[in-house]
Amino acid sequence: MYRTDLGDHIEEITVHDRHGRLATVRCFDRTGRRMSEEHFQDYPLRIRHGQTRYWYKTGQLQLACDFKRNRINGPLAAYHEDGSPKRREQYRNGELRTSQCFSPDGQARPCQPLLTTVDFPGGQKPFVEFLRDRLDRRKINLVDAPAFITVEATVHKDGTLSGPRTLPAVKLRPLPEQIINQQVAEAMANMPPWRPAALDDIPIEAYVLISVALRDGIVHQVNYEVYAF
């Protein structure tokens, strides 16, 4: 079992096999109250499999669902803080089959998207400007610079971004590509907080791929998407 103090909460990881893949991750606030419990078939790859549960500070269950190889499978239930139903959905291998949502007074209402993705403050355009201001074009070989760069990172529940890192395959590419990939990763090391991903309004940790398009060695466009949470 591994316990990590993350400031506002404690993360507890229990590994169930010698390969470090099967794992249960539980989070507790600083008083010891449980906040979440998640099960993984392959924790290093963040492949969820089995139960996922979140609780309010009062101890009331907030959301419950099961995952099958990283896809929601079966019933999903979410509750308001007083315990009344908020969302009832049915999934089959990640595909939504039925959905009902309710206001706190029990009235039916349209369902909002279950998953809200991450976003850089202000969107993609400010992100382009952020990178342009931080890349040192003097160190970029404009002739050999690649047209696209992809890095991966983690957006935490509080919106902080950590671990911007190049993909393993970059080590096999020509040196100019390795340099600019590393520059992009380093430029993102100190970023303003992002809007975190949320599962039915519950902030969650998300793993993102960030693609950067270059034109004449200058950042032209960016795109980012969640590949696991």
Side-chain angles (χ1 to χ4, degrees):
M1 181 185 297
Y2 306 91
R3 290 176 64 89
T4 304
D5 189 333
L6 298 175
D8 61 342
H9 68 281
I10 306 296
E11 181 182 72
E12 178 184 282
I13 303 174
T14 304
V15 178
H16 304 292
D17 70 324
R18 62 188 180 90
H19 301 292
R21 294 178 179 174
L22 294 174
T24 301
V25 179
R26 299 180 178 92
C27 289
F28 304 87
D29 67 15
R30 304 203 66 81
T31 68
R33 181 193 62 83
R34 63 182 180 179
M35 300 169 60
S36 63
E37 179 175 318
E38 301 158 304
H39 295 256
F40 294 84
Q41 185 180 57
D42 192 326
Y43 181 69
L45 295 179
R46 301 302 191 268
I47 298 178
R48 296 169 184 256
H49 191 83
Q51 294 182 349
T52 286
R53 303 287 186 269
Y54 296 94
W55 289 271
Y56 288 105
K57 293 181 179 180
T58 60
Q60 165 63 43
L61 183 63
Q62 187 173 5
L63 184 143
C65 67
D66 288 357
F67 281 83
K68 182 178 180 180
R69 290 196 58 81
N70 239 13
R71 295 181 177 180
I72 300 175
N73 191 61
L76 178 146
Y79 302 90
H80 293 288
E81 198 162 358
D82 63 0
S84 60
K86 181 181 179 183
R87 180 189 294 263
R88 291 175 179 166
E89 295 181 333
Q90 187 74 27
Y91 290 82
R92 180 179 296 174
N93 291 325
E95 181 181 343
L96 178 63
R97 308 307 295 265
T98 61
S99 182
Q100 292 178 298
C101 293
F102 306 91
S103 61
D105 61 2
Q107 298 297 312
R109 66 180 184 186
C111 290
Q112 300 300 314
L114 177 67
L115 180 65
T116 303
T117 190
V118 300
D119 199 12
F120 184 81
Q124 294 183 357
K125 186 175 180 180
F127 193 9
V128 169
E129 297 299 326
F130 178 91
L131 290 178
R132 283 181 177 177
D133 289 343
R134 285 159 179 79
L135 287 181
D136 187 350
R137 296 183 69 246
R138 294 171 297 176
K139 297 180 180 179
I140 300 174
N141 185 325
L142 299 181
V143 175
D144 297 326
F148 296 95
I149 295 168
T150 301
V151 299
E152 58 182 1
T154 303
V155 178
H156 299 279
K157 297 176 183 179
D158 62 358
T160 57
L161 182 140
S162 69
R165 50 200 172 266
T166 61
L167 301 182
V170 170
K171 296 179 180 180
L172 304 177
R173 304 300 300 165
L175 183 59
E177 289 194 30
Q178 295 184 41
I179 292 173
I180 193 170
N181 270 271
Q182 188 60 38
Q183 271 204 47
V184 171
E186 291 173 355
M188 291 190 295
N190 295 293
M191 304 186 77
W194 288 50
R195 183 188 72 192
L199 189 66
D200 196 47
D201 300 327
I202 305 168
I204 57 175
E205 190 171 85
Y207 303 87
V208 298
L209 288 177
I210 301 172
S211 300
V212 181
L214 296 163
R215 180 179 293 174
D216 296 327
I218 299 174
V219 177
H220 175 65
Q221 188 176 6
V222 296
N223 187 46
Y224 34 86
E225 61 179 336
V226 173
Y227 70 87
F229 61 88

